[in-house]
Structures are given as C-alpha cells and as structure tokens.
Amino acid sequence: MPVKNRFAELLPEITAWRRDLHENPEILFETHRTSALVADKLREFGCDEVVTGIGRTGVVGVIKGKSDTSGKVIGLRADMDALPIHEQTGLDYASKTPGAMHACGHDGHTAMLLGAAKYLAETRNFDGSVVVIFQPAEEGGGGGREMCEDGMMDRWNIQEVYGMHNWPGRPVGSFAIRPGAFFAATDQFDITIEGKGGHAAKPHETVDSTLVAAHVVTALQSIASRNADPVDQIVVSVTSIESSSKAFNVIAQRVQLKGTVRTMSKEMRDLAETRLKAICEGTAGAFGARADVTYHRGYPCMVNHDDQTAFAADVARSVAGNCEDAPLVMGGEDFAFMLEERPGAYILVGNGDGASVHHPEYNFNDDAIPAGCSWWAGIVEQRMPAA
C-alpha cells in the first residue's frame, strides 16, 4: 500500500518527534511546550490554518484537499497529555520531568497524527477538508469536552470524527474495534461517615464510624450483584479509606471513602448513583451514624457509531489485512464528548508485548507508527476520495 511505504520512509523522523515528546511530558492542560511543538510542525507542513488555545491548550490544524466538491470535513483527534507517574523504563529518552511520564502512549498518538498531517499536506489527495485535533487533558481533565465547548465542531463544520489508542498485548500494528458502547462512563464518589468517636475500650459509648464504613464497603457490592441485570456491565470500587483517628486506642469520629463507578449505559449509570446514595445513607442510619455522599459524573460512556465503525474497520483491514472485534473496556475515554457531538469511531492499534498503560515501565512501541499513520491517512483518502 503506497501510504504505508511513505510512512516507512518517514518513520525515523516521526520516531524522533515521539521520543522528544516522551522526554518532555506535560500533564493535563499544562501542555504548553507540546502544543507549541505541534503548532510549529503543522505550520511547517503547510497546513491551511493552525489555531491554538482551543480547549485552553488544544491545537487545531486544517488541511484542504486538491478539490472540495463533496463539502466533507473529517476530524482526526490525538491526545497530548502525560500522567503524574515517575518513569522507571531506564530509556535513553526517559522523562526529564520528575513525577510526569507518557505512560499511556499519548506521545505516540500525537506523533502519529503529526505524521499523517505531514503526508496529507504533501499529497492532498482527497476531496474535502481534514481537521487534525490535538487535545490536552484526556487523563481526567476533560479536554475533549472543553474543546467541544469552545465550539470546535461548529467552527470548522466537522461532520465526522475519528480517534485511536494504542493497545499493549495486541500484535504491533494490528487493529480492533467494536460498534456501540466501547469505553465505560467513569464516575467518582466521596463518602463521609460521621459517627461518635471515643475510647476504643468503651465501644458502647461510641458510634463506630470504622465499623459503619466496613459495612458500607461490603453493601456497595450489592449494586452489581443484586441491583444490576447480570448481563449489564458495572464496576463499583472503593479505592480509599481514611479514618480521622491515627491512634490504636481511639474509635474515629469520621471515616472518608473514595471510589469509582464504571457503567456502559445511561440507565445503569442512573441506577448506580441512586443505589449508592441510598445504601450509604441507609446503612449508616441503621448504626446511628450519618453518611454524606458526593457523586461526581465524569466522562460519559464512549459510543462508536455503526456506520463510521464499519468504515474504520474497512480502513484498518486495508492497512493491516484484518481488524478484530475489540472487547468492552471499563476504562474511560473523553473522546466520548466528541462522539456525542458528531458521528465517528475510535479504534485500537496494537502496541505489542510489554507493560500495560498507566504503568511506570510502559513505553509506546515506535514500530506501530506506520500502521497508525496509514490508518489516519486512509480514513481521509477513502472517506473523501479525490474528485
């Protein structure tokens, strides 16, 4: 395939970009160096328009095809931000910023989309326009939502939007996708159990908030086991328990719990929030304590659109010869906000064997670059063939 050949030629250059990004990670919306590098590259490539500051530190580039009889505009999105993790890879190009690391491969996503942008600006072998979207703050900051709220979709008349994520454990350069719900909604909760503290030798004079918290943690698992339809997906995890007492002989006045809920449908999301609050308040009340619950809705479920998913899979097959059915993923992805605004699809590209994402020994596999770039370019050239 000609596109794959071109990206094989560009591989050393794109790899150098990727490793520079890896060496200089930036977290959430603080992607100032990364955003500047991306904008400079897009201008160097000859993009028809380059705009910064979308969604705070996001960057958008516009590349027009040789013709525009179709009036089509396709968006391609890559995330740019790193994670607050201390890198332990020992690589020559390991992070130079303590406590920050590209542990999810966003450096690879950004580099691959830059590579595709360079190729598309060189060839312009399509009928319409492509909008390359470089997004900050995917890792919990909701940068995708902020770019949409800044009017990105309407400003550039984006009609379809496509995203990609590397996937450790899949063969390098292979692809997998699924229609419909794909990545879970990611909600968080804070629970404060207020009892009556006292001496550990006189429990009858207290309302033991630690005991109440233990019952709450156990009872919350009944949401999945007894409230949810067994064929639906839901995860309720209490991930932090902190008592106001640090002494061995003091019953705590207060215990704080934190955790997350992951669901794959609006109905299950609503059920989980309602039941979580009722269980906490009812369980605490049964012991004479009080539970204050704060439930925060994070990223919505990411839902691939049927037509665009089938097309994305066809493009993947043209690049790699095959595209497998992807499993449901209970992790979150804020590309969901873009898919709520426009039809589109999100695909996985294999990263090979190695550490999983969000691990201090993770590293993006540069051998996946030609396949990823070819898929981006294929989306544009096959969806908007030259007139």
Side-chain angles (χ1 to χ4, degrees):
M1 179 177 175
V3 172
K4 288 184 72 174
N5 291 339
R6 178 58 178 142
F7 289 122
E9 296 170 5
L10 289 173
L11 180 57
E13 184 177 7
I14 299 171
T15 297
W17 303 338
R18 203 282 294 183
R19 295 186 178 188
D20 176 74
L21 292 168
H22 188 92
E23 197 171 1
N24 297 279
E26 295 174 302
I27 293 171
L28 292 172
F29 291 98
E30 301 303 313
T31 57
H32 304 293
R33 180 188 184 277
T34 305
S35 299
L37 183 151
V38 166
D40 287 346
K41 290 293 181 188
L42 295 177
R43 294 187 188 102
E44 178 187 316
F45 302 158
C47 289
D48 298 282
E49 185 179 0
V50 178
V51 179
T52 59
I54 305 298
R56 299 200 228 177
T57 49
V59 181
V60 169
V62 179
I63 306 168
K64 297 179 180 179
K66 290 179 179 178
S67 58
D68 190 17
T69 61
S70 69
K72 290 182 179 178
V73 183
I74 288 178
L76 308 177
R77 173 270 201 178
D79 35 19
M80 301 186 292
D81 58 318
L83 282 157
I85 294 175
H86 186 75
E87 184 164 349
Q88 297 177 19
T89 62
L91 294 166
D92 292 341
Y93 54 87
S95 170
K96 296 190 296 187
T97 305
M101 174 193 176
H102 270 295
C104 204
H106 297 185
D107 51 343
H109 304 163
T110 297
M112 287 191 293
L113 187 53
L114 281 174
K118 179 170 184 172
Y119 166 83
L120 291 167
E122 285 175 353
T123 59
R124 300 182 184 261
N125 189 34
F126 55 94
D127 180 51
S129 296
V130 57
V131 179
V132 288
I133 302 163
F134 295 86
Q135 180 207 306
E138 190 281 324
E139 297 289 358
R145 176 182 56 230
E146 297 220 9
M147 293 189 85
C148 289
E149 289 177 350
D150 266 0
M152 176 182 69
M153 296 297 185
D154 290 335
R155 179 172 175 177
W156 285 284
N157 190 32
I158 297 170
Q159 296 158 15
E160 296 182 357
V161 64
Y162 295 86
M164 179 198 299
H165 204 293
N166 77 94
W167 210 249
R170 291 198 56 80
V172 179
S174 66
F175 291 93
I177 198 169
R178 67 179 298 120
F182 192 176
F183 280 57
T186 59
D187 299 337
Q188 299 84 43
F189 57 82
D190 288 277
I191 304 164
T192 300
I193 306 294
E194 190 79 24
K196 180 183 177 183
H199 199 293
K202 298 180 179 181
H204 58 290
E205 296 179 0
T206 73
V207 176
D208 189 343
S209 57
T210 303
L211 176 65
V212 176
H215 279 270
V216 166
V217 171
T218 301
L220 288 178
Q221 298 311 307
S222 68
I223 298 174
S225 66
R226 288 297 177 267
N227 298 140
D229 188 320
V231 301
D232 288 331
Q233 291 78 28
I234 180 171
V235 174
V236 181
S237 294
V238 178
T239 56
S240 174
I241 303 176
E242 186 173 355
S243 165
S244 61
S245 170
K246 306 303 178 189
F248 68 89
N249 60 349
V250 175
I251 289 175
Q253 174 81 12
R254 184 179 304 106
V255 172
Q256 292 180 302
L257 310 175
K258 295 179 184 292
T260 185
V261 176
R262 307 297 174 103
T263 51
M264 282 290 183
S265 69
K266 180 183 182 301
E267 294 74 20
M268 188 56 60
R269 196 180 198 187
D270 292 342
L271 172 69
E273 180 176 0
T274 299
R275 293 303 301 143
L276 186 140
K277 290 179 177 178
I279 287 170
C280 291
E281 292 168 359
T283 303
F287 286 90
R290 187 180 78 251
D292 294 319
V293 180
T294 301
Y295 194 95
H296 172 70
R297 293 203 171 199
Y299 298 168
C301 178
M302 189 187 73
V303 181
N304 272 347
H305 297 251
D306 290 348
D307 177 65
Q308 287 73 23
T309 300
F311 168 66
D314 285 342
V315 175
R317 281 187 281 270
S318 75
V319 173
N322 188 31
C323 184
E324 296 186 5
D325 294 332
L328 290 169
V329 178
M330 297 310 286
E333 169 54 68
D334 84 337
F335 188 62
F337 293 110
M338 297 189 189
L339 289 178
E340 286 188 336
E341 295 229 350
R342 293 294 189 273
Y346 191 79
I347 200 167
L348 307 180
V349 59
N351 199 58
D353 294 331
S356 65
V357 294
H358 293 223
H359 190 282
E361 295 180 2
Y362 166 86
N363 186 39
F364 179 84
N365 192 331
D366 293 319
D367 290 340
I369 288 173
C373 291
S374 296
W375 184 80
W376 287 127
I379 288 290
V380 174
E381 293 180 338
Q382 294 182 43
R383 199 62 156 178
M384 301 187 294

